[in-house]
Amino acid sequence: MASVLRGEAPRAAASAPQPRASLLQIPPYVAGRSKVAGIAKVIKLSSNESALGASPKAIEAARAGAEGMFRYPDSSVAELRAALANANGIPAEQIVCGDGSDELLHLLGQAYASPGDEVLYSQHGFVVYPMVAFAAGAVPVQSAERECVVDVDAMLAKVTARTRIVFVANPNSTGSYLPERDIVRLHAGLPPHVLLVLDAAYAEFAEMPDYEPGVRLVNKHPNVVMTRTFSKAYGLAGLRLGWAYCPPAIADVLNRLRAPFNVTLPAQHAGVAALQDTGFLDQVRAHNRRWRPWLEVELKKLGLMPVPSAANFVLTRFPGGAAQADATNAFLTQRGILVRDMKAYGLADCLRITVGLEDELKALLQALAEFLAKK
Ligand SMILES: *Cc1c(COP(=O)(O)O)cnc(C)c1O
């Protein structure tokens, strides 16, 4: 009876436990490097973490939260959701918090994609999207980008009867962004049963007037979710905290599916304090506003080809291709300067550099100038 209910034939006996086969297709995640053997203090510009660290008030709140760590955290994450609702002018009931936004992306995959379904994302989108697809047993499908920018028409052309989820990182993992009108056009071209997930991890840095992170689209449509994170602008990557703004029916599903205590007590406290410390966020954004354009200009002066960025990093192409990008990366590594190798994103001729502190960026530029002059 039980196997009839499961609707699956019993699997053949094996000599060891067997996972669902699709799980073994999940490519191992390669994180930005943080260490170099023999170098005590590195300059880490590889994971788009906050140049200014975390708000001192958030750190203090996490410390205070740690005192209470023998207690379970609030399963409903009420205080933080109320603070997010207040800060963003949206209903708290439609916010679901997660163990980083990665967790929320995975939960959406588990909830809305089934084996055989297709999960669509653009060529240089976040590497977590294919992981989400495989974890759900679904098929990851890529659409081409134009000059590292998401191409709405190419994406719509890849939608089939099996498409269930479309992921768009906006700003993209290349730093480019789509203005609101393009996101609206993408949404308008999707069938109503397809879920559009707008991953706005870098929204706080995207200050162009035609950018909108997704709030307005979620307000209007039952098939759009916006995900956000405290890992980047708020500097809480190590604490693991993200959130999703969802239509009510989707929030209900995520709340059933998620682990009841998926957001730790220190993370909940730090999130509230980080949101309250608007002065700190202003400093973070002002730093980025000043140093991102500087970095872009300096990279161009060296003959490199940076992609215009709306985020807190700059992706740069090397005219000498993958060999030059690799050799440069090796040289920087010897100097203890860590940037992101982009092979996992299909961008072997590029490196990606976080907008760090002034002295970090100047050390990077000096090393780059030295290496490229030798050629
Ligand atoms: C960093 C990043 C995230 C955030 O991941 P967390 O799990 O919240 O740390 C999500 N999407 C993209 C595109 C990112 O670069």
Side-chain angles (χ1 to χ4, degrees):
M1 186 64 191
S3 69
V4 172
L5 282 178
R6 275 202 306 272
E8 260 183 48
R11 274 184 272 192
S15 59
Q18 298 297 306
R20 277 186 290 113
S22 65
L23 299 184
L24 300 178
Q25 294 179 272
I26 299 175
Y29 182 76
V30 182
R33 292 164 307 150
S34 57
K35 289 194 181 106
V36 187
I39 299 183
K41 192 172 179 297
V42 298
I43 294 177
K44 185 172 187 303
L45 304 174
S46 57
S47 300
N48 306 336
E49 292 144 341
S50 167
L52 304 188
S55 149
K57 290 177 183 153
I59 295 170
E60 189 41 47
R63 262 200 201 106
E67 303 279 333
M69 69 163 76
F70 68 103
R71 299 264 185 225
Y72 279 101
D74 172 14
S75 165
S76 73
V77 199
E79 205 187 328
L80 175 58
R81 284 188 308 110
L84 285 166
N86 189 40
N88 292 279
I90 57 179
E93 311 75 59
Q94 288 174 243
I95 296 172
V96 180
C97 295
D99 176 23
S101 54
D102 280 2
E103 183 197 20
L104 298 161
L105 300 174
H106 269 287
L107 291 174
L108 289 164
Q110 282 176 48
Y112 293 95
S114 296
D117 288 341
E118 292 174 358
V119 170
L120 177 58
Y121 56 95
S122 72
Q123 195 180 0
H124 310 304
F126 195 28
V127 285
V128 167
Y129 308 149
M131 299 170 71
V132 165
F134 286 128
V139 180
V141 177
Q142 283 189 1
S143 63
E145 295 188 6
R146 222 177 341 94
E147 314 262 328
C148 290
V149 182
V150 173
D151 181 335
V152 169
D153 297 301
M155 202 160 219
L156 288 174
K158 289 278 184 179
V159 174
T160 74
R162 305 236 57 164
T163 308
R164 288 295 175 278
I165 306 179
V166 175
F167 285 110
V168 177
N170 195 30
N172 197 6
S173 299
T174 60
S176 67
Y177 80 104
L178 287 186
E180 183 176 21
R181 61 178 181 278
D182 286 347
I183 296 287
V184 166
R185 193 162 70 81
L186 171 64
H187 174 263
L190 295 175
H193 66 272
V194 172
L195 174 64
L196 174 62
V197 179
L198 299 172
D199 173 355
Y202 300 100
E204 291 80 5
F205 299 110
E207 303 191 271
M208 302 69 56
D210 59 355
Y211 174 79
E212 204 280 320
V215 171
R216 289 210 280 249
L217 225 52
V218 178
N219 284 342
K220 273 199 265 182
H221 301 285
N223 65 332
V224 185
V225 168
M226 172 188 73
T227 59
R228 300 286 289 266
T229 184
F230 281 87
S231 296
K232 306 285 160 59
Y234 290 100
L236 303 183
L239 211 49
R240 311 305 303 132
L241 184 59
W243 56 284
Y245 176 42
C246 314
I250 295 179
D252 175 58
V253 168
L254 295 185
N255 280 323
R256 290 167 194 266
L257 181 59
R258 70 181 172 88
F261 303 108
N262 62 333
V263 182
T264 67
L265 194 98
Q268 293 191 30
H269 285 259
V272 172
L275 281 176
Q276 283 166 352
D277 196 352
T278 53
F280 185 79
L281 182 65
D282 289 343
Q283 285 175 43
V284 168
R285 296 169 82 183
H287 175 85
N288 203 58
R289 208 178 293 133
R290 162 137 201 234
W291 292 101
R292 182 183 65 204
W294 181 85
L295 177 59
E296 288 175 354
V297 167
E298 294 298 317
L299 291 171
K300 277 188 207 154
K301 284 189 201 160
L302 292 175
L304 305 180
M305 300 175 287
V307 172
S309 174
N312 69 333
F313 59 84
V314 177
L315 175 80
T316 190
R317 216 175 265 286
F318 283 72
Q324 191 188 25
D326 270 351
T328 306
N329 197 9
F331 180 83
L332 294 175
T333 302
Q334 281 173 15
R335 293 285 173 97
I337 301 171
L338 301 180
V339 300
R340 189 60 159 263
D341 166 315
M342 293 299 283
K343 292 188 186 77
Y345 286 84
L347 293 164
D349 60 338
C350 296
L351 294 175
R352 196 175 69 182
I353 303 159
T354 305
V355 177
L357 295 170
E358 175 176 353
D359 57 344
E360 295 174 329
L361 293 175
K362 289 189 169 162
L364 166 84
L365 259 300
Q366 199 187 334
L368 276 176
E370 200 179 310
F371 182 69
L372 295 169
K374 279 201 253 174
K375 296 272 119 174

